[in-house]
Amino acid sequence: MIFKKRAEEDFQVKEITSQQMKDVISHCADMYRGAPYWVSAEDNIKTINFAKAVCSETARLATLGIKIQIGGGARGTWLQEQIDKVYFNLRHWVEYACAYGTVIIKPNDSGFDVFTPFDFMITESDSNGNITGIIFKDSYADNDRYYTRLEYHHFEDATSEGASPYYISNKAYVSRHADALGDPIALSQTRWANLMDETPPIMKSDGGQLDGPMFGVFRTPEANNVDMSSPLGLPMFLGAEEEMQDLDVAYSRNSEEIYDSRRIVLADDRLMYESGTPIDRLKRGAKAASVKIARFVKNVFGNGPQEFYQEINPQLNTETRITGINNFLSFIGFKCGFSNGYFVFDEKTGMVTATQVESDDRRTIQTIKDFRDKLEDCLNGAIYAMNVYADLYSLSPIGSYEVVYDFGDITYNREEDRARWWQYVVQGKAPAWQYFVKFEGMTEKDARAMVEEAQPAEQPGLFGEE
């Protein structure tokens, strides 16, 4: 966080994020990386890091089968190339947004970068919660030197024409320590030599104000009840923090019981010697050192024959404990926006018909739809920013573009889809070769050839006529 204090001094700005909001993001980040505050070696409390699991599952569903198509001639083709470079990062970025509440996607000279709240500082926002002033931190290491760049984005006051120009300022620093910003250094002496210290006013080609800032913001859908004036979103599992602690305690107690459940045998000294071996010989000879007993056997002194041998077999309460664990999972799932029973240790039960499945999954579907909408809005902003950069630095031919998003169905069932498509074939609504391509992994050429070969040969007519 040291860069934020230096940024305030060098850019003459003030951070607007409250300390309360920073604390929430910080301890949720600890939960996400598997180090919540309730983990204790002394009390034998471990964590299964379910915060990570919730974020990962949300990101998986939100980006399931995602397709981003950008059309519009040469400009659209160029923008498509930029988004294709980070296609496989999208799921990671959505997961970070779930964990931190907010991430920002910003263009760079080779694609896009993602920033978490630990790498940016908000200086201004409007009445609608849109970020209008922000400082990003970027860094890299070169041998024993650490380079950091602070990039300040902001709108200036409106001109006489009523438009607010957009400015980007850069400052670079170098240090011999990774945890220090160090001394100022010219951009020309870093790998950011192609950037300007400060850009000219960025406006539309017609002199109008930009439609938005030069980045896209991904906020989680829920309202911020920690700091209602903050433009930041909340980590999606914040409301389930107490239940996640209870889940870890329940899991730890269950695993502790299982660990301590091994059979224990209490046996008298007189049962510890090999058959036919005199006791005094074992005591005198070196062979005594090689006589070993199983680790679950305890050597005791018996007072009578009935105490020479006794087994202790602890009984497990696993089923009862798992019922309690699943109860916590159900609370966590509901608070995070998933349908009841989505997260369980055993398989999901009670689903009888397709209609019931659809009804029971409705909450999950709506949550994922909300996250997909937020992702679209964020990518629209990032792509728009990349389009402005293309105009500013003549990176591609001037032109318009159009973005189309397509997502996979989270309730998709391949076998149901296969049966439905075969019905289309039987009913003559779809050619058979399409079915073989879609479900049998055949090429279109091979599928067409197989269907053609399977067609019955024409039978000769009456009296041998063709």
Side-chain angles (χ1 to χ4, degrees), residues 5 37 81 124 175 226 423:
K5 183 177 181 181
Y37 61 84
E81 293 172 355
E124 296 174 76
S175 173
V226 173
Q423 282 297 110

PDB file of all heavy atoms in Angstrom, residues 5 37 81 124 175 226 423:
ATOM      1  N   LYS A   5       0.364   6.281  -0.745  1.00  0.00           N
ATOM      2  CA  LYS A   5       0.795   7.509  -0.073  1.00  0.00           C
ATOM      3  C   LYS A   5       1.660   8.356  -1.001  1.00  0.00           C
ATOM      4  O   LYS A   5       1.499   9.579  -1.093  1.00  0.00           O
ATOM      5  CB  LYS A   5       1.563   7.163   1.202  1.00  0.00           C
ATOM      6  CG  LYS A   5       1.997   8.383   2.005  1.00  0.00           C
ATOM      7  CD  LYS A   5       2.686   7.985   3.299  1.00  0.00           C
ATOM      8  CE  LYS A   5       3.097   9.215   4.091  1.00  0.00           C
ATOM      9  NZ  LYS A   5       3.789   8.859   5.356  1.00  0.00           N
ATOM     10  N   TYR A  37      -8.687 -15.644   9.438  1.00  0.00           N
ATOM     11  CA  TYR A  37      -8.189 -15.325  10.775  1.00  0.00           C
ATOM     12  C   TYR A  37      -8.501 -16.403  11.799  1.00  0.00           C
ATOM     13  O   TYR A  37      -7.876 -16.463  12.853  1.00  0.00           O
ATOM     14  CB  TYR A  37      -8.765 -13.983  11.243  1.00  0.00           C
ATOM     15  CG  TYR A  37     -10.272 -13.946  11.359  1.00  0.00           C
ATOM     16  CD1 TYR A  37     -10.920 -14.410  12.499  1.00  0.00           C
ATOM     17  CD2 TYR A  37     -11.048 -13.440  10.313  1.00  0.00           C
ATOM     18  CE1 TYR A  37     -12.297 -14.379  12.604  1.00  0.00           C
ATOM     19  CE2 TYR A  37     -12.425 -13.408  10.408  1.00  0.00           C
ATOM     20  CZ  TYR A  37     -13.046 -13.876  11.548  1.00  0.00           C
ATOM     21  OH  TYR A  37     -14.414 -13.851  11.636  1.00  0.00           O
ATOM     22  N   GLU A  81      -8.687  -9.564 -32.375  1.00  0.00           N
ATOM     23  CA  GLU A  81      -7.350 -10.107 -32.099  1.00  0.00           C
ATOM     24  C   GLU A  81      -6.903  -9.765 -30.688  1.00  0.00           C
ATOM     25  O   GLU A  81      -6.281 -10.591 -30.001  1.00  0.00           O
ATOM     26  CB  GLU A  81      -6.344  -9.562 -33.119  1.00  0.00           C
ATOM     27  CG  GLU A  81      -6.567 -10.054 -34.543  1.00  0.00           C
ATOM     28  CD  GLU A  81      -5.668  -9.343 -35.542  1.00  0.00           C
ATOM     29  OE1 GLU A  81      -4.942  -8.410 -35.128  1.00  0.00           O
ATOM     30  OE2 GLU A  81      -5.697  -9.706 -36.732  1.00  0.00           O
ATOM     31  N   GLU A 124     -11.563   9.687  -7.534  1.00  0.00           N
ATOM     32  CA  GLU A 124     -12.817  10.404  -7.806  1.00  0.00           C
ATOM     33  C   GLU A 124     -13.869   9.427  -8.301  1.00  0.00           C
ATOM     34  O   GLU A 124     -13.553   8.426  -8.957  1.00  0.00           O
ATOM     35  CB  GLU A 124     -12.616  11.482  -8.879  1.00  0.00           C
ATOM     36  CG  GLU A 124     -11.683  12.612  -8.502  1.00  0.00           C
ATOM     37  CD  GLU A 124     -11.449  13.544  -9.687  1.00  0.00           C
ATOM     38  OE1 GLU A 124     -12.354  14.340  -9.988  1.00  0.00           O
ATOM     39  OE2 GLU A 124     -10.366  13.448 -10.300  1.00  0.00           O
ATOM     40  N   SER A 175      13.794   1.018  -7.500  1.00  0.00           N
ATOM     41  CA  SER A 175      14.237   0.717  -6.141  1.00  0.00           C
ATOM     42  C   SER A 175      15.045  -0.578  -6.154  1.00  0.00           C
ATOM     43  O   SER A 175      14.935  -1.388  -7.077  1.00  0.00           O
ATOM     44  CB  SER A 175      13.030   0.564  -5.213  1.00  0.00           C
ATOM     45  OG  SER A 175      13.423   0.119  -3.931  1.00  0.00           O
ATOM     46  N   VAL A 226     -21.336  -2.075   3.247  1.00  0.00           N
ATOM     47  CA  VAL A 226     -20.239  -1.704   4.145  1.00  0.00           C
ATOM     48  C   VAL A 226     -19.967  -0.208   4.042  1.00  0.00           C
ATOM     49  O   VAL A 226     -19.825   0.482   5.039  1.00  0.00           O
ATOM     50  CB  VAL A 226     -18.962  -2.513   3.805  1.00  0.00           C
ATOM     51  CG1 VAL A 226     -17.772  -2.015   4.624  1.00  0.00           C
ATOM     52  CG2 VAL A 226     -19.199  -3.996   4.045  1.00  0.00           C
ATOM     53  N   GLN A 423     -34.097 -36.826 -32.664  1.00  0.00           N
ATOM     54  CA  GLN A 423     -35.507 -36.667 -33.032  1.00  0.00           C
ATOM     55  C   GLN A 423     -35.644 -35.735 -34.231  1.00  0.00           C
ATOM     56  O   GLN A 423     -36.477 -35.975 -35.120  1.00  0.00           O
ATOM     57  CB  GLN A 423     -36.297 -36.118 -31.844  1.00  0.00           C
ATOM     58  CG  GLN A 423     -36.641 -37.150 -30.786  1.00  0.00           C
ATOM     59  CD  GLN A 423     -37.543 -38.228 -31.338  1.00  0.00           C
ATOM     60  OE1 GLN A 423     -37.121 -39.376 -31.498  1.00  0.00           O
ATOM     61  NE2 GLN A 423     -38.773 -37.885 -31.640  1.00  0.00           N
TER      62      GLN A 423
END
